[in-house]
Amino acid sequence: MTKNNSNIVKVSFWERNRKSEGYLLKKKIMEIAVVIARFILLFGLCFLILQPILNKISVSFMTEDDLFNPIVVSIPVHFTTDNYVLTAEIMNYGKSFVNSLVISLTIAIVQIAVCTIVGYGFARFNFPLKKFWFACVMLVILIPPQVISNSLYIHFRFFDIFGIIKLIRGEALNLRGNVLPYYLMSLGCMGLKNGLYIYMIRQFFRNIPNDMEEAAYVDGCGTFKTFVRIMLPEGKPIITSCFLFAFVWQWTDGFYSKMFLGSTSLLSMSIARLVDSLGAYIQRIMGIKTTVSVAYSNCILATGTLMLVAPVIILYLFAQRQFVESISSSGIKM
């Protein structure tokens, strides 16, 4: 019974293909080709992303003998966790982790709070020079922070407000070496990637129908109450995504950290000088000057990199649903 039905389907397909002058077969071949091409593309992209991470994981569990063993490729012969213990000690991982967590978390919260208000304002309100100010937001996205590094250094090294501080104290304030410049820049929407967050939030709110706000106004809600009770819950996906971006970029930032927080122990700063610190650490332990092999230096660097990105990966696993929703619903309407 099944065999007869199968034959009927086959005859029916070729019959319909003959009547369509081969169009049905061409369409079927095209669909199969698209599926195969999509699979190859996705597999290649996943391999390019995962292969370096898997390689670092493999190397981080190898001893120095395994690193120089031509037989060992991916699976270590002498499995060890000493590399993680050594890297954590060199990086002062506990203290650096706490400092990075506190600074990244607070900065991300400040950035997203301010950028949400500004992005919503660009999406929903008309005000003088709106296009000009939005063009300034785009410039914040396009201009790299290195271009204004000298200005930032001078501004926060000799910080003053209309000459008032100098008038009272006799000299300007030196804000370098503490976290205050981070907060001031974030509050002014000039922090790390703030222009991008404003743009993303603006695009998201522009896609929400105005009927929701109009209904809230009819019910007696003011502008602020409508924003807090209606629009913020609707914007939860994009706010979550921007928070993830802000946290991750701040977590791995080395530019602003080096400029303003050079003496503060952070993971992003520790990983930048990990190889140099390894040589100094071994010299201090052994009491003699020695040269660390390139292979072992790369092994410790790979271990430190994994310890740096592990908290970020865990954070993403908890927030991936909101992240995917915001990516699919933002940036559609210009």
Side-chain angles (χ1 to χ4, degrees), residues 13-171:
F13 172 81
W14 291 111
E15 182 66 22
R16 286 185 289 117
N17 180 64
R18 185 184 62 81
K19 291 181 179 181
S20 64
E21 297 181 352
Y23 173 77
L24 191 61
L25 180 60
K26 293 179 182 178
K27 182 180 178 182
K28 191 69 175 179
I29 294 174
M30 184 61 66
E31 291 176 354
I32 295 174
V34 169
V35 171
I36 295 175
R38 186 187 300 126
F39 170 78
I40 294 174
L41 180 62
L42 291 176
F43 179 81
L45 290 175
C46 292
F47 179 79
L48 289 175
I49 295 172
L50 294 178
Q51 192 272 338
I53 298 178
L54 295 176
N55 183 58
K56 281 181 170 56
I57 294 174
S58 173
V59 169
S60 67
F61 290 107
M62 292 184 182
T63 62
E64 191 168 4
D65 293 336
D66 288 345
L67 295 173
F68 291 99
N69 190 344
I71 301 177
V72 178
V73 179
S74 298
I75 302 176
V77 176
H78 305 94
F79 186 88
T80 181
T81 58
D82 292 343
N83 295 329
Y84 286 91
V85 177
L86 176 60
T87 303
E89 188 172 350
I90 295 174
M91 295 176 63
N92 195 7
Y93 191 80
K95 182 179 179 181
S96 299
F97 177 84
V98 173
N99 290 342
S100 298
L101 180 63
V102 172
I103 292 176
S104 299
L105 187 62
T106 53
I107 289 296
I109 292 174
V110 172
Q111 286 182 339
I112 300 310
V114 176
C115 291
T116 299
I117 296 174
V118 175
Y120 177 74
F122 275 116
R124 284 296 192 252
F125 300 105
N126 292 319
F127 48 88
L129 301 177
K130 177 179 178 180
K131 294 183 178 180
F132 169 77
W133 294 119
F134 190 71
C136 293
V137 172
M138 300 304 295
L139 286 178
V140 173
I141 301 175
L142 297 175
I143 297 177
Q146 288 81 3
V147 175
I148 58 175
S149 60
N150 291 334
S151 300
L152 290 176
Y153 179 89
I154 295 174
H155 179 72
F156 289 111
R157 173 60 182 84
F158 305 98
F159 183 78
D160 201 353
I161 302 176
F162 302 115
I164 299 176
I165 297 177
K166 189 174 183 180
L167 181 65
I168 297 174
R169 299 180 72 250
E171 59 180 357

